[in-house]
Amino acid sequence: MTDTRLRDKLATKQFFVVPGVQDMIAAVVADRVGFDVVYGTGYWLTASAYGLPDAGIVGYSQMVDRMATVKRTSEAALIADADTGYGGLLNVHHTVRGYEAVGVSAIQLEDQEFPKKCGHTPYKRVVSAEDMANKVRVAVDARENMLVIARTDARQSEGLDGTLRRLEAYAKAGADILFPEALQSEEEMRTVCAEFDQPVLVNIANGGLTPPLNASVLAEIGFAFGIYPSLTSLVAASAMEKALIQLRDAGEGEPSDPEVFDFRTFCGMIGFEDVWAFDRKWGQAD
């Protein structure tokens, strides 16, 4: 059965926020606090699973497996980063079919040259607008119900005018959602949103190039929704570093700052209640 929650939220034309999930712990915590859409971030899923940078090193097979695991773990609709589509037009076709088969609600494709780089790091290079438009056409043709997000990384090399020109081409090619990566000011954000009828998303990457405006301001500007790919990862890394320093220096394994999440609660979140119920049912709970 098709998950229509993302489409339904877009249809309301009310701005919403979407957290990035870098691993399955983040996925179950996002469920716990009530998010019904999450973002499978290429940067942070790559970092958490393989300890590698988001530089086109991890390929389709690895990432579709990660997205399938997120979808299996999380109760939320999933927006999934698919980089450049992992190759040419045939690869894009295969990627779209594969992502949709594991339950992804929207696939994000970008116009960088391979190997791609994180959108908020330097030395990005983009393919021609027509090459990317062809990828969008192939993606739209290959999908059944999944939404197609077209991202451009042209702001760095072609400025705002190039960004607008490319987004227009991708919209004409059939993209459902437009993604101008790494806009550098509120003025640029307002200019882009004013140009298009299609939903436009904003990427609020902590420490990145785009101003981290409050959600109320992003809504007023005209964005459909915002993704926050790095929030959970960087908060978790900060908390882990603090806890490990206390363990190293003071032998403290039960700190109050950062607060330790309740173990029994987490066991329930990750599925141990079902394991314990199984053990009771089959006489293995002695």
Side-chain angles (χ1 to χ4, degrees):
M1 182 177 176
T2 302
D3 189 333
T4 66
R5 285 177 292 177
L6 179 57
R7 285 184 181 273
D8 294 344
K9 290 176 83 70
L10 290 169
T12 69
K13 298 187 182 301
Q14 298 295 310
F15 181 84
F16 56 98
V17 295
V18 179
V21 291
Q22 77 275 14
D23 57 26
M24 304 316 120
I25 296 176
V28 297
V29 173
D31 280 353
R32 175 178 169 82
V33 302
F35 282 101
D36 57 1
V37 181
V38 297
Y39 177 64
T41 158
Y43 184 112
W44 297 102
L45 284 168
T46 296
S48 68
Y50 303 107
L52 292 170
D54 183 22
I57 300 169
V58 173
Y60 164 78
S61 296
Q62 293 159 299
M63 289 309 298
V64 75
D65 178 72
R66 292 294 283 167
M67 296 303 175
T69 304
V70 173
K71 188 59 189 156
R72 185 172 64 249
T73 305
S74 173
E75 297 178 3
L78 176 60
I79 300 170
D81 184 356
D83 291 350
T84 64
Y86 305 105
L89 298 181
L90 181 61
N91 303 86
V92 170
H93 174 90
H94 182 71
T95 297
V96 168
R97 291 289 178 89
Y99 272 47
E100 189 158 27
V102 300
V104 168
S105 294
I107 187 170
Q108 172 198 310
L109 299 168
E110 62 199 53
D111 59 5
Q112 286 195 48
E113 289 185 1
F114 182 85
K116 60 75 53 89
K117 296 177 176 66
C118 168
H120 292 261
T121 59
Y123 313 124
K124 296 180 296 180
R125 298 168 63 92
V126 291
V127 300
S128 73
E130 183 56 29
D131 283 350
M132 177 61 181
N134 283 334
K135 285 189 175 185
V136 173
R137 294 184 187 101
V138 167
V140 170
D141 182 71
R143 59 94 181 269
E144 294 184 10
N145 298 295
M146 184 170 59
L147 297 172
V148 174
I149 301 171
R151 166 177 143 179
T152 180
D153 285 79
R155 172 63 185 84
Q156 185 179 91
S157 58
E158 299 179 3
L160 186 60
D161 288 344
T163 296
L164 293 171
R165 175 176 53 82
R166 284 171 174 270
L167 290 176
E168 181 179 9
Y170 307 160
K172 289 179 179 178
D176 302 292
I177 300 165
L178 303 177
F179 180 174
E181 177 65 303
L183 297 179
Q184 297 182 17
S185 69
E186 181 176 337
E187 181 181 3
E188 290 186 357
M189 297 158 89
R190 291 184 181 277
T191 298
V192 172
C193 287
E195 287 288 323
F196 299 101
D197 293 329
Q198 282 99 331
V200 179
L201 75 83
V202 61
N203 179 16
I204 303 299
N206 302 90
L209 299 171
T210 301
L213 302 176
N214 184 269
S216 62
V217 179
L218 298 173
E220 185 270 322
I221 288 172
F223 289 107
F225 64 97
I227 57 172
Y228 297 75
S230 59
L231 178 62
T232 56
S233 299
L234 292 176
V235 168
S238 177
M240 285 189 281
E241 182 181 58
K242 184 180 290 187
L244 290 174
I245 288 172
Q246 291 182 64
L247 180 62
R248 181 195 68 194
D249 295 347
E252 180 57 71
E254 190 75 15
S256 58
D257 180 25
E259 183 179 352
V260 176
F261 198 91
D262 181 72
F263 177 66
R264 180 81 184 202
T265 300
F266 188 82
C267 284
M269 291 164 55
I270 208 66
F272 265 106
E273 296 290 352
D274 292 337
V275 172
W276 297 331
F278 181 92
D279 288 343
R280 290 191 294 270
K281 178 178 179 179
W282 296 102
Q284 300 182 64
D286 296 335

